[in-house]
Amino acid sequence: MTSFDIGLVSLAAMVVLVIGGLYVPIALMACSFVGVWAIKGSSLLASKMLGLAAYNTISSYYFGVVPLFVLMGFLVAESGIGRDAYDVANSAFRRLKGGLAVGTVGANAIFAAITGISIASAAIFTKIAVPEMVRHGYTPRFALGLVAGSSVLGMLIPPSLLLILYGVLTEQSIGDLFIAGVIPGLILAVLFALCAIAMARFMPGFTGEPHTADIPALGLSEILFKALPIALLILLVLGGIYGGLFTPVEAGAIGAIGALVLGLAKRTLDWASLWRVLVETGLVTASVCFLIIAAQMYSRMLAFSGVPAGFGNYVVDADLSITMILLAYLAVIIVMGMILDSSSILLILVPLMLPVLAPYDVDLIWFGIVTIIAVEIGLLTPPFGISVYVIKSVIEDPDVKLGDIFLGAAPFAAMMLIALALVFIFPQLATALI
């Protein structure tokens, strides 16, 4: 077998193992090791080369951004800032038909701007928003679908763990990726809100008949008390990055300190909750760390095999336009999103695509944003839909079926397709602020 054939076999074996349920980093590492061993003919050389890849990955200064932003996100979640954002957003939109749904989207957008973890948003707003929406007349199906849909904002509005992972894979500026995600993230939030309003007005059988007259209006002092800490934390982290005051790594550290100070000031953090935050941060960081190490090993194996270069030559020989290549790529991502999680899709496809895109001088910052939007659609599509599974695990109503949540999330997956089309057609939406 040639090196190219070995690379293809390793790639196919890895996909089969992942779909079969093997932990993604283990599948990537195992196939990378066996692939390099088969190509170079030495298990010792394969182990040394892959060990070097792992060392170079974790020793990078920019890897420090992962645990710091994860820590900040969990501190924010434990501090009750998610509930504060929800209260403020509901008060602002309470007179609008479908206003409670719009408030949920707005609160998720605010929460996304200080956490960057979709799963955290899904879990928290399932507990906070769904009971309130059902109590005010919305159907459980719509309420759960709305939370599932708006939770994906956490992976597009900066800071975002997926943007960090993409930046590490492609060696692009994480700060530039954060900036590029702002306008598309806001567009997606607006599309979600407009969808919720339209459905509340024209599809009452699906959304229910909401009644919002009994939603209390917050006074100015209450709004300031709840909104000011959120605004300050967003300004501290994102304003510092965009203003050039500090790097994304330093922003993560400062944001974590700010979230800790807010939690202590609000008296919502105690020793038990702080220990829980540290444990959860360690678990998520270790998981992401494993993913990134495995991704670098996988990239080395692909480079040795010549598979990316072979694909690039095939595309050149086929004389395909860059638009056709990108449309096919996005279609593959959306299909893979039905069976794989977001990180796995990035790890599998991005290293394959980079050599293919090199001759076309594609802006990798814009490419990253359209990739993330396409990947996030998979969070809402069956049969995998990880956000839907998180919500199902959190909701306490045994009568709610997975199919109901997927059905409720379908309109918001359609809004994501519209957002993807807009950013694809108008790249300036992602690059205007850079």
Side-chain angles (χ1 to χ4, degrees), residues 4-200:
F4 186 84
D5 294 333
I6 293 172
L8 289 180
V9 170
S10 297
L11 179 61
M14 183 266 299
V15 172
V16 170
L17 290 174
V18 171
I19 294 175
L22 185 63
Y23 186 45
V24 174
I26 300 298
L28 286 171
M29 289 178 177
C31 292
S32 298
F33 175 76
V34 174
V36 174
W37 183 0
I39 292 169
K40 296 297 182 180
S42 170
S43 60
L44 180 61
L45 181 60
S47 62
K48 287 184 176 180
M49 297 180 80
L50 296 181
L52 184 62
Y55 173 78
N56 290 339
T57 301
I58 300 303
S59 63
S60 170
Y61 168 73
Y62 288 100
F63 183 77
V65 75
V66 174
L68 292 172
F69 274 112
V70 172
L71 175 61
M72 182 182 72
F74 282 121
L75 283 171
V76 165
E78 285 288 342
S79 300
I81 291 179
R83 180 173 292 278
D84 289 345
Y86 185 69
D87 291 342
V88 172
N90 282 343
S91 179
F93 297 108
R94 72 186 190 282
R95 297 187 182 278
L96 186 67
K97 188 174 180 64
L100 196 57
V102 176
T104 300
V105 173
N108 250 310
I110 295 170
F111 193 71
I114 45 179
T115 59
I117 308 173
S118 289
I119 304 306
S121 296
I124 288 170
F125 284 94
T126 298
K127 295 179 180 178
I128 295 174
V130 171
E132 285 296 303
M133 292 184 68
V134 172
R135 186 169 68 86
H136 286 93
Y138 292 91
T139 62
R141 175 178 57 190
F142 175 72
L144 291 166
L146 176 70
V147 170
S150 55
S151 69
V152 305
L153 293 170
M155 285 303 178
L156 189 59
I157 295 178
S160 159
L161 282 182
L162 277 189
L163 286 176
I164 293 171
L165 179 57
Y166 175 85
V168 172
L169 289 173
T170 59
E171 299 182 353
Q172 297 298 303
S173 167
I174 293 174
D176 286 349
L177 286 167
F178 281 179
I179 296 172
V182 172
I183 294 178
L186 293 177
I187 289 173
L188 188 56
V190 170
L191 287 173
F192 283 165
L194 293 176
C195 178
I197 293 171
M199 292 179 70

Side-chain angles (χ1 to χ4, degrees), residues 208-417:
E209 294 285 353
H211 48 87
T212 57
D214 55 340
I215 296 178
L218 297 180
L220 180 61
S221 60
E222 289 179 290
I223 291 175
L224 289 176
F225 178 77
K226 291 177 178 291
L228 191 58
I230 302 169
L232 288 175
L233 192 57
I234 295 173
L235 182 64
L236 179 67
V237 176
L238 300 185
I241 294 174
Y242 303 157
L245 299 178
F246 34 74
T247 67
V249 179
E250 294 165 345
I254 292 172
I257 294 172
L260 178 61
V261 170
L262 286 176
L264 295 175
K266 288 165 58 68
R267 298 183 179 179
T268 51
L269 283 178
D270 53 24
W271 286 111
S273 59
L274 189 57
W275 175 253
R276 187 162 54 249
V277 163
L278 293 175
V279 171
E280 290 176 342
T281 299
L283 291 173
V284 172
T285 301
S287 177
V288 174
C289 171
F290 240 56
L291 281 171
I292 294 177
I293 289 174
Q296 290 301 314
M297 292 181 175
Y298 167 67
S299 297
R300 296 286 179 95
M301 186 275 293
L302 286 179
F304 288 140
S305 70
V307 169
F311 281 165
N313 293 333
Y314 172 78
V315 170
V316 171
D317 294 339
D319 197 26
L320 297 175
S321 69
I322 185 59
T323 301
M324 293 175 64
I325 294 170
L326 291 172
L327 288 175
Y329 166 74
L330 294 176
V332 170
I333 285 182
I334 293 172
V335 171
M336 290 184 70
M338 298 180 182
I339 54 176
L340 295 177
D341 65 280
S342 303
S343 300
S344 301
I345 297 170
L346 285 182
L347 297 176
I348 293 169
L349 291 183
V350 170
L352 283 174
M353 281 298 295
L354 291 180
V356 174
L357 298 178
Y360 297 94
D361 196 28
V362 172
D363 186 333
L364 291 182
I365 299 296
W366 166 81
F367 179 71
I369 299 302
V370 295
T371 295
I372 297 302
I373 297 175
V375 165
E376 288 298 280
I377 294 173
L379 291 181
L380 304 180
T381 52
F384 197 83
I386 190 170
S387 283
V388 173
Y389 280 91
V390 169
I391 289 173
K392 174 60 178 173
S393 68
V394 172
I395 195 69
E396 297 178 354
D397 188 353
D399 295 330
V400 174
K401 308 298 183 185
L402 274 174
D404 293 330
I405 307 176
F406 277 121
L407 186 60
F412 304 101
M415 294 301 102
M416 295 189 72
L417 285 172

